[in-house]
Amino acid sequence: MTREEIYGKLNEVFQDVFDDEDITVNDSTVAADVDGWDSLEHINLIVAVERCFGIKFTMGETTGLKNVGEMVDRIIAHLG
Amino acid sequence: MSLVSSLFLVFVAAALLLYYVVPKSFRFWVILAASLAFSAFLGFYTLLFVLVSAVLCYLGGLLAGPSKSNALRNAAAIITVVINIALLCAVKYYNVIGLAAERLNLLFGAVNGANKFFLYAVPVGMSFYVLQTTGYILDCRWEKIAPEKNFFKVLLFSTYFPQLMSGPMNTYANLSEQFEKAKEVKFDLSRIFDGAVRVAWGFFKKLVIAERAAMVVKMIYADHQTYTGWYVPLGVFFFAIQLYTDFSGCMEVVIGVSHMFGIELPENFNCPFFSKTVKEYWRRWHITLGAWLRDYLMYPILKSAPLIKLGDWSKAKFGKKNGKKVPTYIALFILWFAVGYWHGGLWNYVIGSGILHFIYIVLGMIFEPAFKKIRPKIGADKLYFRIFQSVRTFILMLTGFVFFRSATVMDAVDMYAAIFRKSDVPLDWANFSASGLDLANLIVMAVGVLLVFAVDAYKYRPGEDEAPKSAIAFLRSKGIVLLWAAFMVLFVATLLFGMYGLGYDSGSFIYARI
């Protein structure tokens, strides 16, 4: 799966979790850029991303991702 | 050894001198020796406790790290974490353990303290330590870090003396990076001076403000049969001042001392009394505890299979928006129970520092959609509403402080009842100053509180996760003379007005007793 394809699916996940069809994310997007992305909603997002891509983030990844770019890097690594 | 003592200052000065005199490659050993010496000053059992616990932490980390079978890794992580939690419980219930041991000793024939069968000793103030070492083991298991092979590095991580008793809590990744950087730090007078200003600010907060506020707190909390009516909110208000200046003062000393060694520790306070909501307050008060419990307790619970299944079920039952809140509320309840328990292991802490805040935060979440609709109609962008939000949050915090400072839950409930009881001791100046806080002392304290408020107002940034501005950097930017003047004012004011000296027993930091 290419990075662009991952972003296509990831945007849908973000729009669904945060109930906002206008959200588009990129490598530098961080929690402060998305309305409602707080520490509680973070886990809902992580679980939704895991289900969408059929992967499982480690707890280290769950708590250590600095931006969406890092999330995509980890998704690519998990997809092998 | 108290952090607010001349002995501690001499200890730091000696350690600093040695630290910068020896070759850089020996600095690690100087800081480790200083940390072990500090533990030894706290008592033989504290030293024993930290040594045994560090060995456990080291082995637990190695066995929980990669390249082992998952079964072994899980077993190592679970066993060591359980032992750590058991140690935490032992620390929390040392009174109960001591009482049980004494009763058993009597049964086994102990007479007047002699012929004891059960010997017991539990070091106090190890709550921060236990959580930090538990975090290390979990980080190894979750592959956030590679297990450290050098035992002495783990030993220093777990015993680093400025933060040993009161935090701020740190991760191995952060602290080990700081230790590495510190090896290359050059001796710099301005670094030492900046640290000294923070230490002076911490001493000022503790000795000039907190110790004065404590007089009123002691009088009212100890006897709310006599001191009823308006005395009660007054006592709780003074306790808020005492707790904030005590704990944040302690952090100034810890972070300032560590800065002198070139080891930067995370901030634990970020102008908490300017918070708009209770949720925001907890992102600004005792920040590192909240972050620890979020990363090591709440996230694993929320990400566990049973809660994910529950979330799927509740979303199907109550709709997507409401359903996803069910597991969140359960995880929040566990989190706040843990926060309360960690503060003292008794129900007054569980309620006053835990469950009550859980209720406020969940109510805030439930009513948030309604608040969103109302806000534009009531001029929520105006200054008066902003002030109202901070005052409301502060009052909600006070409701918890009633429990926090009381001896038991029933004591706290009675204190609430005392608000409505008529007082035989009218609230006038003569009765108030019976606490020991006469007019001169009250003025000194009030000036100190205003200074703390002014500094916080300068440091405040509206973003709750934004780092506060540095008051020291501001003073330095205006010229070194101003920074020196600030230091001298704090130093002289603490010497003149600090509650210390012969015949006066300055209380230890509240959070160093946790």
Side-chain angles (χ1 to χ4, degrees):
Chain A
M1 202 180 282
T2 65
R3 212 170 171 88
E4 285 70 33
E5 286 168 334
I6 289 174
Y7 266 111
K9 287 177 118 183
L10 208 52
N11 279 329
E12 286 176 24
V13 173
F14 269 80
Q15 289 161 7
D16 183 52
V17 169
F18 297 109
D19 249 341
D20 181 353
E21 287 182 5
D22 296 329
I23 296 179
T24 50
V25 291
N26 56 49
D27 275 358
S28 57
T29 304
V30 292
D33 300 326
V34 179
D35 191 26
W37 188 357
D38 57 17
S39 57
L40 295 172
E41 210 58 63
H42 180 66
I43 292 294
N44 288 327
L45 174 70
I46 289 289
V47 171
V49 172
E50 286 179 343
R51 281 183 172 168
C52 175
F53 292 96
I55 58 168
K56 196 95 182 144
F57 289 119
T58 64
M59 276 315 294
E61 289 167 339
T62 301
T63 57
L65 296 171
K66 290 193 171 58
N67 52 37
V68 174
E70 276 192 16
M71 184 187 276
V72 173
D73 292 343
R74 297 314 307 156
I75 293 170
I76 291 170
H78 279 287
L79 291 174
Chain B
M1 186 190 324
S2 166
L3 298 185
V4 63
S5 64
S6 44
L7 179 62
F8 179 69
L9 293 181
V10 171
F11 179 84
V12 169
L16 265 177
L17 187 69
L18 210 56
Y19 185 75
Y20 283 112
V21 163
V22 298
K24 284 177 181 170
S25 54
F26 283 105
R27 282 184 180 174
F28 173 86
W29 299 104
V30 170
I31 201 86
L32 178 62
S35 297
L36 293 177
F38 183 79
S39 296
F41 266 112
L42 296 176
F44 172 72
Y45 287 108
T46 301
L47 182 63
L48 190 67
F49 182 95
V50 295
L51 286 174
V52 170
S53 183
V55 171
L56 184 77
C57 177
Y58 172 72
L59 294 176
L62 278 182
L63 293 171
S67 81
K68 308 276 185 315
S69 77
N70 269 348
L72 177 65
R73 295 175 67 191
N74 287 338
I78 291 168
I79 290 169
T80 44
V81 168
V82 166
I83 293 174
N84 261 359
I85 301 298
L87 287 174
L88 182 65
C89 292
V91 169
K92 294 294 174 203
Y93 292 116
Y94 74 101
N95 283 333
V96 180
I97 292 170
L99 191 67
E102 284 305 323
R103 294 244 165 102
L104 285 171
N105 280 330
L106 286 175
L107 280 177
F108 279 74
V111 182
N112 294 334
N115 300 325
K116 282 185 179 178
F117 190 77
F118 292 99
L119 296 173
Y120 65 94
V122 181
V124 258
M126 292 290 113
S127 303
F128 294 88
Y129 175 90
V130 168
L131 287 196
Q132 187 161 302
T133 51
T134 301
Y136 170 78
I137 295 161
L138 292 175
D139 281 351
C140 292
R141 175 61 191 92
W142 293 337
E143 296 177 29
K144 279 169 100 172
I145 54 167
E148 179 56 64
K149 294 192 172 72
N150 183 338
F151 168 71
F152 295 106
K153 287 188 175 178
V154 177
L155 184 61
L156 178 57
F157 161 73
S158 56
T159 58
Y160 180 49
F161 79 92
Q163 61 166 60
L164 178 69
M165 286 169 72
S166 315
M169 267 174 264
N170 222 327
T171 60
Y172 187 77
N174 284 341
L175 205 50
S176 60
E177 188 190 338
Q178 287 298 321
F179 291 144
E180 282 303 313
K181 276 186 189 167
K183 280 184 193 167
E184 298 310 318
V185 165
K186 287 184 183 151
F187 177 77
D188 176 6
L189 258 183
S190 62
R191 171 190 297 279
I192 305 285
F193 185 55
D194 284 359
V197 174
R198 285 201 77 157
V199 172
W201 184 222
F203 270 60
F204 177 86
K205 280 181 170 180
K206 168 71 174 169
L207 295 176
V208 177
I209 307 173
E211 291 294 304
R212 281 189 169 78
M215 295 174 171
V216 178
V217 174
K218 264 182 206 164
M219 179 181 84
I220 296 174
Y221 273 80
D223 187 7
H224 43 263
Q225 298 304 322
T226 305
Y227 298 104
T228 59
W230 281 104
Y231 275 109
V232 175
L234 199 67
V236 182
F237 175 75
F238 271 75
F239 179 61
I241 293 172
Q242 184 199 349
L243 190 63
Y244 180 49
T245 49
D246 185 287
F247 193 16
S248 70
C250 176
M251 286 301 105
E252 301 289 353
V253 174
V254 168
I255 295 171
V257 164
S258 192
H259 180 73
M260 293 182 195
F261 289 93
I263 297 162
E264 305 304 336
L265 298 178
E267 294 292 338
N268 225 0
F269 288 93
N270 184 1
C271 320
F273 290 138
F274 291 155
S275 305
K276 295 189 281 290
T277 62
V278 173
K279 192 175 164 193
E280 184 185 343
Y281 173 90
W282 282 101
R283 293 186 77 84
R284 293 178 178 274
W285 173 284
H286 209 170
I287 298 167
T288 57
L289 174 69
W292 194 98
L293 289 167
R294 180 196 65 211
D295 289 351
Y296 296 104
L297 182 69
M298 192 178 78
Y299 279 171
I301 290 170
L302 275 172
K303 220 168 163 273
S304 65
L307 252 76
I308 290 175
K309 270 186 192 165
L310 177 71
D312 290 340
W313 174 83
S314 57
K315 273 189 251 181
K317 188 94 177 159
F318 306 114
K320 190 182 134 200
K321 223 173 185 175
N322 293 322
K324 70 179 179 183
K325 288 178 182 161
V326 174
T328 302
Y329 293 157
I330 292 172
L332 276 176
F333 180 82
I334 297 170
L335 172 91
W336 284 104
F337 190 92
V339 171
Y341 179 81
W342 179 89
H343 274 90
L346 298 170
W347 282 106
N348 57 311
Y349 292 107
V350 172
I351 293 172
S353 292
I355 308 294
L356 207 55
H357 302 278
F358 162 77
I359 293 169
Y360 294 150
I361 287 171
V362 167
L363 285 178
M365 288 167 73
I366 290 170
F367 288 113
E368 179 58 19
F371 289 153
K372 248 184 183 166
K373 282 181 193 161
I374 296 168
R375 274 190 207 120
K377 294 174 190 163
I378 55 170
D381 53 344
K382 301 266 187 344
L383 180 64
Y384 83 89
F385 190 76
R386 180 66 192 81
I387 294 170
F388 160 76
Q389 286 178 309
S390 286
V391 171
R392 173 196 59 190
T393 305
F394 181 65
I395 291 171
L396 290 175
M397 298 320 298
L398 294 185
T399 60
F401 288 155
V402 174
F403 288 90
F404 189 97
R405 177 62 173 76
S406 294
T408 63
V409 174
M410 287 319 293
D411 206 32
V413 170
D414 187 60
M415 206 156 161
Y416 272 112
I419 298 173
F420 305 101
R421 282 200 295 266
K422 200 177 170 302
S423 179
D424 295 331
V425 184
L427 180 55
D428 57 27
W429 183 244
N431 288 324
F432 176 80
S433 55
S435 63
L437 199 69
D438 57 19
L439 184 62
N441 276 307
L442 185 65
I443 290 171
V444 169
M445 196 194 106
V447 170
V449 169
L450 282 176
L451 192 59
V452 169
F453 184 82
V455 171
D456 272 9
Y458 170 75
K459 287 164 68 180
Y460 176 76
R461 287 187 211 265
E464 58 194 48
D465 291 328
E466 283 181 285
K469 287 183 226 165
S470 164
I472 291 177
F474 169 76
L475 291 173
R476 192 174 272 288
S477 73
K478 300 289 172 197
I480 188 72
V481 176
L482 203 60
L483 191 59
W484 263 105
F487 175 74
M488 288 312 293
V489 165
L490 290 174
F491 183 70
V492 173
T494 307
L495 274 184
L496 289 178
F497 304 119
M499 310 289 280
Y500 65 92
L502 287 175
Y504 186 83
D505 179 23
S506 160
S508 60
F509 285 112
I510 293 172
Y511 269 74
R513 297 197 291 261
I514 281 176

